[in-house]
Amino acid sequence: MDGLTDEVHGHPHYLALEPRDRALVRAILLTALRNFGDLDATISRFTEKPLPAGATGLRNILLAGLAQILFLDIPDHSAVDLAVAAAQADPRSRRFAALVNALLRRAAREKDDLLARFAEQPVRAPQWFADRLDAVYGGQAAVAIDACHRLEAPIDLTLKEGEKANAAKWAERIGAIVLPTGSLRLTGASRDISELPGFADGAWWVQDAAAAVPARLFGDLKGKMALDCCAAPGGKTAQLADGGAKVTALDLSANRLKRLAGNLQRLGLSKSCETIATDLFKFSPERRFDAVLLDAPCSSTGTVRRHPDVPFTKSPEDIAKLADLQARMLDHAATLVAPGGTLVFSNCSLDPLEGEDVARRFADTHGDFEIVPVRPDEVSGLETAITAEGFLRLTPAHLALGDPAISGVDGFFSARFRRPV
């Protein structure tokens, strides 16, 4: 979905829309995906027989219409009329226009009953993902994670080191709260990020509170040589440079590195960072690094709040392949760590196959490294996420702040290792 709705490289039809209409399109897509199980089950209950095989366009029209009627602040008649018009405009769906009209009008009449049903017995989807959450976290925790996935993720900001003492003042200026982790979390209505105070001046950057944790596990970075193995989009690179390190940032994509360089320029951190477009496995520098961060490619199942299409585009097979890649990348990253140096492995997956299992395998096969357990004082507000082994396992259900709309973090895994002198 991100590719289709990218503000620069998105689908031409999407880019041709006015900004307000683009926002509506994104809202409909995100809402339909977040509530897909309930909406799809409603279609099944409201039709006497299953939709024809291959009627993807028809199903999508119904899902979009239901999302608007049941969850978005859009007049029912407008949602129905648009859906019927869409069905009539599609030769494959035209003969079902009356069904679209009848089903959506019924949903509008029974809205309160449907929402009550969703609250009492939500339908989780897709099934493989629901089953995996149950197997890993257990029923109650899995249900809590699923509930978080149905909510829009708040936007967090990481302040530059020189601004952290003024966190409370910044929060007041931009309409945010200060999280226990030190990040700022925007509250209230959505706003244009680039128009907020401090953006143009490079006082902060957008970064989920969970994603800000791995780079902090290095501690004092002043005067150290640091390597960010998979740097784009650059939030962790900025943290390393802002912390006083001389950073080498790697990424396979030259275009992604250009975007990263632009962010570093805005933040005034360009002089502290060298960017190199290369494959990590081909990177063989003359000297090793004091700090190596491997935020590895993963299934991204920890970011479902922001990217609800992830469970529909990934599979258990993808997770297994990515876990193998991560293990090999971690092995190579270890060769780049200087004696006395620190290696942090992280990713935004909820699956232990991509987190705990990779870290345990590394610890078992690399006697020249030792686990450095994460300390509670390093992850204020997230202490309960520290595992018995000293790893950090975050889920969207962590950081409960009373109001679900401003609670939670991205799912994340972090492990810290040290190569003794």
Side-chain angles (χ1 to χ4, degrees), residues 53-126:
T56 304
L58 173 61
R59 186 176 297 275
N60 289 341
I61 290 170
L62 290 170
L63 289 169
L66 287 171
Q68 294 173 74
I69 290 169
L70 298 175
F71 295 106
L72 296 177
D73 188 20
I74 295 172
D76 295 344
H77 65 86
S78 296
V80 174
D81 290 347
L82 286 172
V84 171
Q88 291 174 335
D90 182 356
R92 295 164 298 180
S93 303
R94 189 171 297 147
R95 62 192 177 99
F96 297 102
L99 180 149
V100 171
N101 182 69
L103 189 150
L104 294 183
R105 288 187 182 280
R106 179 180 173 185
R109 292 194 304 271
E110 300 180 19
K111 178 176 180 178
D112 291 342
D113 291 339
L114 285 170
L115 293 177
R117 180 172 186 150
F118 297 166
E120 293 175 3
Q121 295 179 316
V123 179
R124 297 158 62 196

Side-chain angles (χ1 to χ4, degrees), residues 160 225 237 240-242 244-248 260-261 263-275:
K160 289 180 71 174
M225 301 291 291
T237 304
L240 298 174
D242 188 43
K246 184 67 176 178
V247 184
T248 299
L260 180 152
N263 290 332
L264 293 176
Q265 183 71 34
R266 176 179 66 84
L267 297 169
L269 299 171
S270 296
K271 293 181 179 179
S272 300
C273 185
E274 176 189 15
T275 60

Side-chain angles (χ1 to χ4, degrees), residues 87-374:
Q88 291 174 335
D90 182 356
R92 295 164 298 180
S93 303
R94 189 171 297 147
R95 62 192 177 99
F96 297 102
L99 180 149
V100 171
N101 182 69
L103 189 150
L104 294 183
R105 288 187 182 280
R106 179 180 173 185
R109 292 194 304 271
E110 300 180 19
K111 178 176 180 178
D112 291 342
D113 291 339
L114 285 170
L115 293 177
R117 180 172 186 150
F118 297 166
E120 293 175 3
Q121 295 179 316
V123 179
R124 297 158 62 196
Q127 195 60 49
W128 79 264
F129 188 55
D131 291 344
R132 185 60 180 155
L133 290 179
D134 287 338
V136 172
Y137 295 99
Q140 187 172 355
V143 168
I145 293 171
D146 182 69
C148 294
H149 286 165
R150 294 166 184 269
L151 300 173
E152 182 177 357
I155 295 176
D156 297 339
L157 312 176
T158 296
L159 285 170
K160 289 180 71 174
E161 289 293 331
E163 301 292 343
K164 288 183 177 178
N166 300 316
K169 292 182 179 179
W170 274 111
E172 184 177 356
R173 286 186 67 189
I174 63 179
I177 58 173
V178 182
L179 298 178
T181 63
S183 295
L184 300 186
R185 175 158 292 177
L186 298 180
T187 59
S190 60
R191 289 155 286 171
D192 184 344
I193 297 297
S194 64
E195 297 297 323
L196 292 177
F199 177 86
D201 301 329
W204 47 262
W205 60 92
V206 175
Q207 185 179 35
D208 187 79
V213 170
R216 292 175 182 164
L217 298 181
F218 289 108
D220 187 4
L221 285 165
K222 292 182 178 63
K224 294 184 177 181
M225 301 291 291
L227 174 68
D228 191 348
C229 297
C230 303
K236 299 175 185 64
T237 304
Q239 285 180 278
L240 298 174
D242 188 43
K246 184 67 176 178
V247 184
T248 299
L250 309 182
D251 201 89
L252 269 173
S253 170
N255 285 333
R256 283 164 60 88
L257 281 178
K258 287 181 181 178
R259 191 173 298 186
L260 180 152
N263 290 332
L264 293 176
Q265 183 71 34
R266 176 179 66 84
L267 297 169
L269 299 171
S270 296
K271 293 181 179 179
S272 300
C273 185
E274 176 189 15
T275 60
I276 303 175
T278 187
D279 185 331
L280 172 63
F281 293 111
K282 297 178 181 178
F283 183 64
S284 183
E286 294 183 359
R287 61 163 293 175
R288 290 184 283 184
F289 296 84
D290 307 305
V292 175
L293 172 61
L294 174 62
D295 189 53
C298 70
S299 62
S300 301
T301 51
T303 68
V304 173
R305 296 183 311 156
R306 302 179 192 282
H307 308 289
D309 55 325
V310 165
F312 299 95
T313 59
K314 296 296 193 298
S315 69
E317 292 74 24
D318 292 324
I319 289 175
K321 291 177 182 178
L322 287 163
D324 177 69
L325 173 63
Q326 292 159 16
R328 292 187 287 111
M329 293 180 78
L330 187 55
D331 287 341
H332 186 73
T335 68
L336 307 175
V337 182
T342 300
L343 170 63
V344 172
F345 165 65
S346 65
N347 61 52
C348 58
S349 171
L350 284 173
D351 203 301
L353 289 175
E354 298 179 86
E356 289 86 341
D357 288 5
V358 174
R360 289 176 190 135
R361 173 196 169 281
F362 179 82
D364 291 341
T365 57
H366 288 75
D368 53 338
F369 279 83
E370 59 188 13
I371 297 174
V372 182
V374 176

Side-chain angles (χ1 to χ4, degrees), residues 1-7 14 17 20-34 72 306-308:
M1 194 193 89
D2 284 350
L4 293 174
T5 59
D6 184 88
E7 292 297 323
Y14 174 78
L17 297 173
R20 181 177 178 181
D21 291 331
R22 292 188 203 177
L24 177 57
V25 168
R26 283 189 61 83
I28 293 171
L29 290 173
L30 289 169
T31 302
L33 286 166
R34 287 191 179 110
L72 296 177
R306 302 179 192 282
H307 308 289

